[in-house]
Amino acid sequence: MKLNRQTAERAAGEGRAAFAAGAQQADCPYDADGDAEQQFQHRYWSHAYGAAAEAAPSTGR
C-alpha cells in the first residue's frame, strides 16, 4: 500500500465512521507502534476520530 493522500483520506473516513458508529478511539484498527504503513494510517484515523468527537454536540456527561 502506498502512503499517499488516498490512503490518508480512506483512514480518515474510517475514523469518522467509527466515531459515528459509537466505537472508542482505542478501537483503532491500526498500530501506532507498527510499521510505517500502520503508523501512517493510525495517525489519520485517530486525527479524524478526534475531530469528529470535538465537532459532535456535547451529551452533558
Side-chain angles (χ1 to χ4, degrees):
M1 177 177 290
K2 295 187 181 210
L3 308 182
N4 58 26
R5 185 180 186 120
Q6 286 180 321
T7 303
E9 289 174 353
R10 184 182 48 76
E14 290 174 2
R16 287 187 295 274
F19 177 80
Q24 298 295 312
Q25 191 162 12
D27 295 334
C28 178
Y30 304 109
D31 185 3
D33 298 321
D35 61 18
E37 181 179 313
Q38 287 285 309
Q39 290 177 25
F40 181 84
Q41 292 178 98
H42 182 274
R43 176 181 178 181
Y44 286 97
W45 190 99
S46 296
H47 178 75
Y49 182 99
E54 287 180 17
S58 176
T59 59
R61 292 188 224 181

